[in-house]
Amino acid sequence: MGDDSEWMKLPIDQKCEHKLWKARLNGYEEALKLFQKIDDEKSPEWSKYLGLIKKFVTDSNAVAQLKGLEAALAYVENAHVAGKTTGEVASGVVNKVFNQPKARAKELGIDICLMYIEIEKGEAVQEELLKGLDNKNPKIIVACIETLRKALSEFGSKIISLKPIIKVLPKLFESREKAVRDEAKLLAVEIYRWIRDALRPPLQNINSVQLKELEEEWVKVSSAAPKQTRFLRSQQELKAKFEQQQAAGGDGDGGDDDEEEAVPQVDAYELLEAVEILSKLPKDFYEKIEAKKWQERKEALEAVEVLVKNPKLESGDYADLVKVLKKVVGKDTNVMLVALAAKCLAGLASGLRKKFGQYAGHVVPTILEKFKEKKPQVVQALQEAIDAIFLTTTLQNISEDVLAVMDNKNPTIKQQTSLFIARSFRHCTPSTLPKSLLKPFCAALLKHINDSAPEVRDAGFEALGTALKVAGEKAVNPFLADVDKLKLDRIKECAEKVELVYGKKTGAAEKKEGKPVAGKTPALSGTAGDKEIKDAASKPGPQKKAPAVKPGGPPKKSKPAAAAGTGGAGAKGKKGPETKEIFESELSIEVCEEKAAAVLPASCIQQLDSGNWKERLASMEEFQKAVELMERSEMPCQALVRMLAKKPGWKETNFQVMQMKLHIVALIAQKGNFSKTSAQVVLDGLVDKVGDVKCGSNAKEAMTAIAEACQLPWTAEQVVAMAFSQKNPKNQSETLNWLSNAIKEFGFSGLNVKAFISNVKTALAATNPAVRTSAITLLGVMYLYVGPPLRMFFEDEKPALLSQIDAEFEKMQGQTAPAPTRGISRHSGGSGDDGEEEEQEDVGNDVVDLLPRTDIGDKITAELVAKIGDKNWKIRKEGLDEVASIINDAKFIQPNIGELPAALKSRLNDSNKILVQQTLSILQQLATAMGPNIKQHVKNLGIPVITVLGDSKNNVRAAALATVNAWAEQTGMKEWLEGEDLSEELKKENPFLRQELLGWLADKLPTLRSVPSDLLLCVPHLYSCLEDRNGDVRKKAQDALPFFMMHLGFEKMAKATGKLKPTSKDQVLAMLEKAKANMPAKPAPPAKASSRVGGGAAPAKFQTASALAEDSGSNTMESKPDPKKAKVGGASSKTKVIILFCVILIQLHEQIE
């Protein structure tokens, strides 16, 4: 093919691969025209070029490459299959286009990358661009930064993930190339536009001149919330709305709220590096802490104090460290060391947040009992420690420990415990302070308000007032029934003065204050926190008080800045702590230096970055002394932490300096109003060190302490995500091991299970066996709390791996979740009260509620419903297959399923029995996926399944029965027995239906303690079944008779025979007499059952005789009380014993007859 005439005859795709550049150029030109002509994005023509597009962008001839880039852009924009080429094309653009001298090539390369983002392939593009930042060619680096900046500017921070970009920013500022530094500066300004002050901590260690230049640029950034100007293909509605606003004259007042909501709130804490401290403990720490000389113990504690001053600690096994600190607090005779150890615990809790939760139960009782010390310095340190620890757990988890201490004889302990309860209540909402918690706390506090010591009474009033403010009078008043008016007025007076963390504010201005917007980060409440905010030069507007979230729940979905502390669980308010994590605004480095200079010695600041480690150590000692002498209100926490973070900062090479530095962070956290902004520095570092042989255990303890400040669910989610953003298998496996232990010790309350699933799946796919083993172990621990639903997430795994998971689950079979040492108390004070029992059951149901549920309502389209109802059975089957797939993919779903119930109900009557069985299978799936929420569909979907029990085919009936059981397992029986539905089904003279339904009732009724009165409606039809022509129906009816009588009583059953024919009545009464003798035991209440013997609720063992003695009156049904029972119930204990004896004799006499 030497001349043009030969290659001109070739097809376009062959020209594009020709060895002659002219042929390729011609091919690209024709391909461009072709791509612009094809109207159908799914045309098979596109597939011909799938393997060629990379060659379009990497052509060795510069002229041909330009045309190839144009053609590639058209392909990406129009082809449905273009997404498959993302990785290779983006890589080709980065390595072969961005290094070209022609500006046009670079422009086209950027356009191609942005087009891939538009077609939903942003992650792959961003990955290639970040790889390009490691290229040795500065031109490529500059182009990659520019592309990232443009992508962020156009698509916004919801589409472009900022964390990996921010992580590499400091490195870009260190580049030798001015062009790279300049472009990095532009990128930093663009990022600041989207996340505001959250960008400051990650950049605090860059060159001071560069930081100053950035500060100058940041000041110029408009305070208006940035808007997305380019939209993904799936965001066409947003695009249309944006274009309408532009056409209407740009920014309208009406669009402000939407635009503010469109900007995701960034949690500055997530952007900070976690610091690993366990390995930095002195080698002789555990020896020194046990030393006889108090000076040596003090040295050991000071080393820890420096370490825990890091605002963000890496997770690890902190059990040993917490244990020795607890021992010092509880047993050390030197009160100065007690205060120091308490500060260390507070620092651990603040730095580890939720990861400290597993240790909370161990230390809370010790701290509370140590309040017998009266020295203000010790009391303050203990208060700060226990408050920090509380934020890492839930009130439910530590309630037993706290209640036990409230009976202590020491008035100071009682006073401080009540004050702690009052402070804890302020972090609660009505949903996190339920009746089951209020009851024991109110009972204990009522003793305190009657105490002889005035300080104990005052603290009790404050705690009860706080409870009244949080839960409301309706919830609390029943527990205050015996309180006299004067004391009740005092409680109400205290309630009026209480300011809650979830403040109940009203009014537009206050409502707006509670909603974080770009550039405004919430701050810690408290004097120092407020003061720092007011003084912050970078704060665009005054803010006197930390913004409050309404009790209804945190705004939006688990945005850490807006709702940190609610956990990855998002708005799962019922379980898990709802302690709000509040942040202060970021301060500029100049402001921090000025504030630090006001409270620290000049020599201390000068030697912070000395090249001599001994000078840095001396500086740290001065720093520590200064902090120890500061009052809470005077301590500029963020400024001090930033000073500690100045170079060498957390990269300090001398372990002694580093220990003291971290100890100072802990001291600041304990003594000052330590905000999340100040703490944001450490979490990444903790994850980096969790796998370290020397530091791993300390890192785990640090993560646990952070968990106490931020809640375990949130912290665990962050830590696991960070671990799997790394490639270190040791870190990954140890993070999972830590989480396994944390769940066991802290409890499962509030954990967002689904948030961990993708990372666990990643771990299961890891090549390193330790990571896989750790993941399987974690699944085993989670199985204890979640149960069989957990397996649904892993059904797609390889059989070999699934068998290992199943083996782990089998190990857990029959085991109960361990009583959390810092977790939920699974048992309440024994009570036979029905309300109490329901609350107990709710605790079990809430474990399943921890699983986030997907709303599939939008997937149940009219088209899908039409398919399910189509005349052609094959199309109906397709529709059912789609539904099964939707439910299977979602795993756990919300009760909103659109028009699906009606569509499925119609298929239960399908003439094709295969489709009926498939529908029943889907309904079983639905019950498992929806959980207890399925009860709202019992009447419209569950009862029709009962009808299918009358089908003539055995396999269909078996499938229907399995479905009904699956539903009843989720809903309980109340919904099924209420109303006339069951009686109407039993009325139908279908022998199969009657057999199956009576058999099902005979199976379920004995397990119930009470039933709705509507069960009586079934009795006439039950009598009809006793005389049915079908022998099997008669047998099933006779089998069910004793169970009906068990709940309804002989009297009512006999009365219901009044409408029968005389001959039938005699036969039925004879059967009733026989059934009475065989009436089974009723399930006893969980407690106090024996005290009701004379009141008609005899223990199960004596139920038959009891029924005889009382003429078989109603036992468990909701009906009018029997006056006879009331009389007996009021008898003396001696009378009760006699009645019990008579009952036993009557029963024995009956059995002999």
Side-chain angles (χ1 to χ4, degrees), residues 555-667:
K556 291 292 166 192
K557 272 190 185 176
S558 61
K559 295 290 179 192
T566 60
K572 296 268 186 258
K574 196 165 185 178
K575 287 284 156 197
E578 294 198 12
T579 306
K580 184 173 179 187
E581 304 289 348
I582 312 173
F583 298 91
E584 58 185 312
S585 292
E586 298 286 350
L587 305 180
S588 66
I589 193 66
E590 290 81 6
V591 172
C592 289
E593 287 174 352
E594 182 181 334
K595 288 192 170 199
V599 294
L600 293 175
S603 60
C604 171
I605 295 175
Q606 288 169 5
Q607 292 178 344
L608 274 174
D609 55 356
S610 168
N612 186 326
W613 71 268
K614 291 183 180 179
E615 290 182 359
R616 296 199 302 275
L617 184 63
S619 168
M620 288 297 103
E621 289 170 351
E622 285 188 84
F623 203 126
Q624 179 179 324
K625 287 174 186 173
V627 170
E628 286 173 344
L629 296 171
M630 286 181 207
E631 293 294 329
R632 173 183 286 270
S633 57
E634 297 171 353
M635 189 179 296
C637 298
Q638 187 186 156
L640 295 177
V641 172
R642 281 177 175 272
M643 288 298 100
L644 292 173
K646 284 182 70 177
K647 286 186 178 180
W650 315 122
K651 296 178 181 178
E652 172 64 60
T653 53
N654 184 279
F655 76 92
Q656 289 175 286
V657 179
M658 193 64 190
Q659 287 168 355
M660 188 161 280
K661 183 174 288 194
L662 298 171
H663 183 59
I664 294 169
V665 175
L667 196 59

Side-chain angles (χ1 to χ4, degrees), residues 106 199 359 431 445 642 673 688 712 742 751 855 871:
K106 178 179 160 184
L199 181 59
Y359 310 113
S431 60
L445 290 167
R642 281 177 175 272
N673 292 300
D688 285 336
L712 177 65
L751 277 170
D855 185 355
K871 291 179 181 179

Side-chain angles (χ1 to χ4, degrees), residues 1009-1016 1043-1055 1076 1079 1082 1092-1098 1103-1104 1106-1126:
R1009 282 185 56 212
S1010 62
V1011 296
S1013 57
D1014 292 332
L1015 182 64
L1016 197 58
F1043 305 121
F1044 274 81
M1045 190 183 295
M1046 180 178 112
H1047 291 291
L1048 301 175
F1050 178 85
E1051 187 179 9
K1052 289 191 176 182
M1053 296 283 285
K1055 190 177 179 181
K1076 185 165 60 175
M1079 188 167 63
K1082 234 184 2 167
R1092 302 179 187 175
V1093 169
Q1103 190 65 41
T1104 304
S1106 170
L1108 263 175
E1110 298 171 301
D1111 198 21
S1112 298
S1114 173
N1115 296 322
T1116 59
M1117 207 174 59
E1118 299 153 6
S1119 57
K1120 294 180 181 177
D1122 191 332
K1124 289 182 184 177
K1125 297 177 191 176

Side-chain angles (χ1 to χ4, degrees), residues 1016 1019-1020 1023 1048 1050-1060 1065 1068-1069 1072:
L1016 197 58
V1019 172
Y1023 293 161
L1048 301 175
F1050 178 85
E1051 187 179 9
K1052 289 191 176 182
M1053 296 283 285
K1055 190 177 179 181
T1057 61
K1059 295 180 182 179
L1060 295 175
K1065 182 176 180 180
V1068 171
L1069 282 171
L1072 288 176

Side-chain angles (χ1 to χ4, degrees), residues 59 349 382 414 576 700 704 719 767 776 802 965 969 1004:
D59 199 296
L382 292 171
K414 288 195 278 190
K700 288 177 184 174
T704 307
V719 166
T767 53
I776 292 170
L802 195 57
N965 283 327
E969 187 180 336
K1004 297 294 181 186

